Amino acid sequence: MGGGVGRIMKLGFQPVNLQAEFYGNAVYPSGGSSWTMRMQIAFLFPKLSPEEKKALMEEQLKKLEQQQKGPEKK
């Protein structure tokens, strides 16, 4: 019996799937643990359409332009 949680998020520009699960084992070998923990990281490489690639590049370009300008003073 057990359960877990997971989340898809970005580390920088790289999307990843993070998961953690915990289980209580009803039957286990002598000297073994009655609990099990499982953690997983999966790196995701989605295929983008040409329109999505263009939008992503435009967004990155805008961010770079804003960084070069620096903080605006009022």
Side-chain angles (χ1 to χ4, degrees):
M1 177 80 82
V5 295
R7 180 175 180 188
I8 295 176
M9 58 185 288
K10 286 189 177 184
L11 296 176
F13 287 106
Q14 179 65 52
V16 295
N17 183 2
L18 304 173
Q19 294 181 355
E21 301 171 351
F22 298 92
Y23 296 96
N25 301 312
V27 178
Y28 55 92
S30 63
S33 175
S34 62
W35 289 95
T36 301
M37 178 179 76
R38 177 177 179 263
M39 296 180 75
Q40 176 180 332
I41 262 188
F43 293 92
L44 305 175
F45 298 96
K47 289 190 176 186
L48 301 175
S49 69
E51 294 84 19
E52 291 172 321
K53 286 181 186 179
K54 182 180 176 183
L56 181 62
M57 294 299 287
E58 289 173 350
E59 181 181 322
Q60 291 174 354
L61 181 60
K62 286 180 185 178
K63 286 181 183 178
L64 287 172
E65 288 173 346
Q66 289 177 354
Q67 287 176 354
Q68 288 178 349
K69 288 181 183 178
E72 294 182 15
K73 295 182 181 178
K74 293 182 179 180

